Amino acid sequence: SAVISQKPSRDICQRGTSLTIQCQVDSQVTMMFWYRQQPGQSLTLIATANQGSEATYESGFVIDKFPISRPNLTFSTLTVSNMSPEDSSIYLCSVSKGMGTGELFFGEGSRLTVL
Amino acid sequence: AQKVTQAQTEISVVEKEDVTLDCVYETRDTTYYLFWYKQPPSGELVFLIRRNSFDEQNEISGRYSWNFQKSTSSFNFTITASQVVDSAVYFCALSGGATSGTYKYIFGTGTRLKVLA
C-alpha cells in the first residue's frame, strides 16, 4: 500500500494567483499522477510526474498552466498558475507501485476554490 | 488510444435489489488492467478490484461480483441485494501502455448509484 499526504487540503484563492500543491508518499513509488475532479465529474488525468525529468501532459493541459516537479520517488508538486474560477476543482495526487499494473492509490485531494 | 465508457450516468434502485453497472473499454494494448473504484459522498476513492487482461474468470467478493468479457470489451460490476451504504459514484478505470510505453490510468465518467430505503 501507499499513504499519500497532500497539502493544502483546501484553499480559497484569488483570480490571477498561483498555488502549489504538495504530495508526499510514505514509500518510493514508480508512477505518480495528478488528476483533476471538477464537481460532479470524473477524474481527468492532468499529467504523469516523471522523476528527474519533465512531466508528461495530457491533451488540454500545458506546462505553463500546470507546472509539475518530481525531484525524487516520494514527492511531487503541482502548481496551478494564474488561476481563474474555472480552475476551481479537487486536485488529486495518485501513485502506483507498478508500471500501470498495480492499484492506484489516492491522496485525500486538495479542494481549490478560485474567486 | 485508451477509453472507458460508463453509459449509465445514474441508477436508482430500492434496497435489496440487484444492480449491474456497465463498463466498456477500448485499448490497443494486449496487456492491460481494469479497475473499479467507489467514491462515497465523503469523497475518498475506495479501490474495489483489479483484473488483468489475461484473467477472464469472474470474481465474487461478498455481495459484489465482476464479469470480465474480452470479446465484448466489457468489465461489468454487479451488486447483489443492494444496501443504502452502497450509494456512491462508481468508476471503472483502465491502465496499460506497454504498446505505447506511456503507462497511465484512464477513468470512465462514473455511474452514480442511489439505493433507496
Side-chain angles (χ1 to χ4, degrees):
Chain A
S1 67
V3 178
I4 303 170
S5 300
Q6 256 186 262
K7 286 193 261 188
S9 58
R10 59 178 63 230
D11 207 338
I12 299 174
C13 308
Q14 296 299 317
R15 180 195 298 262
T17 62
S18 299
L19 182 79
T20 295
I21 302 167
Q22 298 182 358
C23 176
Q24 179 72 56
V25 190
D26 69 339
S27 57
Q28 293 186 344
V29 293
T30 310
M31 311 290 290
M32 292 183 81
F33 306 93
W34 286 98
Y35 286 87
R36 181 173 73 183
Q37 186 175 29
Q38 295 180 309
Q41 303 295 314
S42 182
L43 285 76
T44 301
L45 181 62
I46 297 172
T48 302
N50 300 310
Q51 192 262 327
S53 64
E54 193 171 286
T56 304
Y57 289 85
E58 296 300 306
S59 176
F61 297 95
V62 295
I63 188 171
D64 289 347
K65 175 68 176 178
F66 296 101
I68 288 171
S69 77
R70 188 179 174 190
N72 56 51
L73 292 176
T74 64
F75 185 78
S76 178
T77 66
L78 167 73
T79 299
V80 186
S81 303
N82 188 25
M83 286 185 283
S84 66
E86 292 72 34
D87 294 320
S88 296
S89 186
I90 296 174
Y91 292 85
L92 293 153
C93 173
S94 63
V95 305
S96 171
K97 294 195 169 184
M99 296 293 285
T101 61
E103 175 188 346
L104 199 59
F105 300 94
F106 288 90
E108 293 184 348
S110 299
R111 182 184 294 270
L112 300 188
T113 302
V114 185
L115 303 177
Chain B
Q2 295 172 293
K3 185 178 179 181
V4 178
T5 301
Q6 294 180 257
Q8 303 151 308
T9 304
E10 185 168 313
I11 300 175
S12 291
V13 298
V14 177
E15 207 171 20
K16 297 184 183 177
E17 286 186 354
D18 299 346
V19 59
T20 295
L21 310 182
D22 298 332
C23 173
V24 174
Y25 62 92
E26 296 176 28
T27 181
R28 293 180 181 176
D29 290 306
T30 54
T31 301
Y32 52 89
Y33 293 79
L34 296 161
F35 306 81
W36 277 94
Y37 282 84
K38 173 182 179 180
Q39 189 173 44
S42 55
E44 80 274 21
L45 283 151
V46 179
F47 168 77
L48 295 178
I49 190 171
R50 179 191 76 158
R51 178 52 51 93
N52 74 55
S53 53
F54 297 106
D55 182 2
E56 288 194 70
Q57 280 192 339
N58 292 333
E59 181 154 342
I60 298 174
S61 176
R63 295 185 297 107
Y64 296 170
S65 62
W66 291 270
N67 182 277
F68 175 32
Q69 294 197 345
K70 284 179 80 169
S71 60
T72 55
S73 296
S74 65
F75 186 44
N76 297 336
F77 173 31
T78 297
I79 301 174
T80 303
S82 60
Q83 300 176 1
V84 173
V85 294
D86 296 326
S87 297
V89 180
Y90 291 86
F91 292 102
C92 181
L94 166 71
S95 74
T99 302
S100 62
T102 55
Y103 300 92
K104 56 187 179 183
Y105 295 70
I106 301 300
F107 284 75
T109 50
T111 297
R112 181 178 299 277
L113 174 65
K114 293 184 177 179
V115 181
L116 308 173

